[in-house]
Amino acid sequence: MELAAVARQYEAARAAAEPQPGAAEGLAGTAAADFAAQLRLGEETAMGAMSGDADPHALVQALAQTELAVEAAVAVRNKVVEAYQEILRMPV
């Protein structure tokens, strides 16, 4: 596969995973938008570092912030799943 085709496929997949404007309101919507923005910033910094536009310090900082965002999202997901399982265990 040539590089341009891979880049087009990546952009199509990334656009499909982004939250749609107005799809979620309130705190959850804001958190999802902030999460997506942090991932986008990490990707842009990584691409800039690969092309020589960003310094290695900025890349390490962006990757650390992205890692924290992913860990926070996983922790929230785990709590939601735990709460759902607790609800399923309740007697009716």
Side-chain angles (χ1 to χ4, degrees), residues 41-63:
L41 177 66
E43 289 176 352
E44 290 171 359
T45 306
M47 287 189 279
M50 286 187 273
S51 65
D53 294 336
D55 64 319
H57 178 71
L59 175 63
V60 170
Q61 184 178 8
L63 291 177

Side-chain angles (χ1 to χ4, degrees), residues 12-70:
R14 190 174 92 174
E18 289 184 0
Q20 300 299 318
E25 301 285 329
L27 184 60
T30 303
D34 290 345
F35 178 73
Q38 183 60 48
L39 290 181
R40 191 176 310 108
L41 177 66
E43 289 176 352
E44 290 171 359
T45 306
M47 287 189 279
M50 286 187 273
S51 65
D53 294 336
D55 64 319
H57 178 71
L59 175 63
V60 170
Q61 184 178 8
L63 291 177
Q65 289 174 344
T66 301
E67 182 181 9
L68 286 174
V70 170

